[in-house]
Amino acid sequence: MQRFLTPAQIGSLCAICAAFLFSTKAIFIKQAYALSPLVDATVLMALRMGSALPFFLLIAWFSRTHYRNIRAQDWGLLVLAGLLGYYFASWLDFKGLMYISASLERIILFLYPTMTVIASSFIYRQKLSFKSIFAIALSYGGTVIVMLQEQSGTPHESNFWLGASLVFASAVAFASYLLMTPKLIMKFGSWHYNGLALSIACFGTLTHFGLTIDHPVQLMAQLPLSVWGYGLVLGFFVTVLPTILIMQSIVRLGAAQSAMIASIGPILTILLAVAFLDEHLNMIQWFGCFLNIVGVLMITLSKQKLRSSSE
């Protein structure tokens, strides 16, 4: 029987679905914050990662393999990567969303590919090409345009710059995580690495919650059921499911093509924010968003060409 979809088409579909699910994250977070004064970044992160933990433990268990060639320093790096990429970076992101719009948050986070390029140039002492510098200037210039436009219409007491700084720090943390990932995937395998790293992030989040929240059990019992619902949605539909989908996409398309498709994420988030959060971007902000996306796409394409020439 003839297949309905080719592997490339299935990979593209997985990447599109993953991009859509990831783009809903900020929308659900902002909606959950509006439901109860008891909900902050730490509480919502605990709900998200607590509900995701069983699934990542299952992924880690069923993808397990021998550890003969894995040293203690590899385990240490794995723990650091998990805590940095999906605990600390996520907590900074959740915290920043308490002060800025979902649209701006997504645009700032989208800068992380440029950060990996800049960091790699310092680590490996490689000079950036003019094209890369131009792409970075486009992406950061576009982001600044969107930020200044939003800040001009925001009261000074709203901690706008704190929120923007927290989300930018989140992007830096996630970019650092990505720099550690290739070596660890070679050691542990992609499925096992993701299962272990995200399980570690879940434990880190729950430990943070237990240590920083007074009477955590009583607080959880006081939360409205709707907040629990948002936490479960964030855990499975915005964390576990898109992680699996993007891995399936990478298997069929490769990392670069999957990243290209994922570039629709900021646009999807902005459209969802307009529809569900009553956020609005003026023409200048849309122009800044366009510059951001073009710059990041140029970086992604140049990285792919560099990999192809080195293989």
Side-chain angles (χ1 to χ4, degrees):
M1 189 184 346
Q2 188 174 6
R3 290 182 178 177
F4 290 105
L5 295 173
T6 65
Q9 290 171 331
I10 294 172
S12 298
L13 186 61
C14 288
I16 291 169
C17 292
F20 174 77
L21 292 172
F22 278 132
S23 70
T24 64
K25 179 193 65 176
I27 311 303
F28 289 131
I29 293 171
K30 298 289 277 188
Q31 290 178 327
Y33 284 158
L35 288 174
S36 171
L38 296 174
V39 181
D40 64 5
T42 303
V43 172
L44 198 55
M45 271 285 293
L47 288 172
R48 175 203 190 190
M49 301 304 269
S51 58
L53 177 59
F55 298 98
F56 289 127
L57 287 174
L58 287 173
I59 291 172
W61 175 257
F62 286 110
S63 62
R64 68 192 186 280
T65 182
H66 63 81
Y67 299 119
R68 287 194 297 270
N69 299 322
I70 299 176
R71 298 168 295 178
Q73 67 184 43
D74 297 322
W75 285 105
L77 195 60
L78 172 68
V79 172
L80 176 62
L83 292 177
L84 184 63
Y86 282 96
Y87 153 59
F88 188 56
S90 294
W91 182 83
L92 289 170
D93 181 38
F94 275 54
K95 192 74 175 176
L97 272 166
M98 297 177 70
Y99 309 113
I100 63 174
S101 69
S103 302
L104 178 58
E105 177 262 0
R106 194 69 168 89
I107 292 169
I108 295 174
L109 279 184
F110 197 57
L111 291 171
Y112 73 83
T114 68
M115 297 174 185
T116 61
V117 170
I118 294 170
S120 295
S121 71
F122 281 102
I123 293 171
Y124 300 109
R125 298 180 181 179
Q126 296 175 343
K127 188 177 180 180
L128 289 173
S129 66
F130 173 78
K131 184 178 179 181
S132 294
I133 295 172
F134 179 69
I136 291 168
L138 276 184
S139 57
Y140 282 82
T143 303
V144 169
I145 288 172
V146 178
M147 287 175 60
L148 292 177
Q149 287 290 306
E150 180 168 323
Q151 193 271 337
S152 64
T154 304
H156 293 294
E157 62 271 13
S158 66
N159 291 318
F160 170 84
W161 290 109
L162 172 61
S165 300
L166 287 169
V167 175
F168 185 81
S170 172
V172 172
F174 189 69
S176 302
Y177 157 80
L178 290 178
L179 289 171
M180 293 185 280
T181 294
K183 178 182 177 182
L184 290 169
I185 286 178
M186 290 179 63
K187 290 283 185 178
F188 292 91
S190 59
W191 280 99
H192 196 51
Y193 166 69
N194 276 277
L196 289 173
L198 283 156
S199 296
I200 289 166
C202 292
F203 284 119
T205 299
L206 296 175
T207 301
H208 179 180
F209 173 75
L211 293 176
T212 59
I213 299 295
D214 294 330
H215 310 295
V217 176
Q218 292 90 324
L219 185 144
M220 286 297 192
Q222 295 172 18
L223 293 176
L225 286 177
S226 54
V227 173
W228 278 90
Y230 276 111
L232 294 174
V233 167
L234 284 166
F236 182 75
F237 290 103
V238 187
T239 306
V240 177
L241 186 55
T243 299
I244 293 172
L245 288 171
I246 200 64
M247 290 180 67
Q248 290 297 315
S249 174
I250 291 171
V251 167
R252 291 166 173 81
L253 297 178
Q257 279 187 283
S258 297
M260 286 284 292
I261 296 172
S263 65
I264 65 173
I267 297 296
L268 291 174
T269 298
I270 292 169
L271 294 176
L272 290 169
V274 169
F276 295 101
L277 300 178
D278 198 30
E279 294 184 7
H280 300 283
L281 269 68
N282 59 36
M283 291 304 297
I284 297 176
Q285 287 174 304
W286 276 111
F287 176 68
C289 180
F290 172 76
L291 293 180
N292 172 284
I293 293 173
V294 169
V296 172
L297 283 177
M298 288 174 63
I299 287 289
T300 304
L301 286 171
S302 65
K303 286 169 67 178
Q304 170 63 4
K305 289 179 181 177
L306 184 61
R307 287 195 192 96
S308 299
S309 64
S310 62
E311 289 175 354

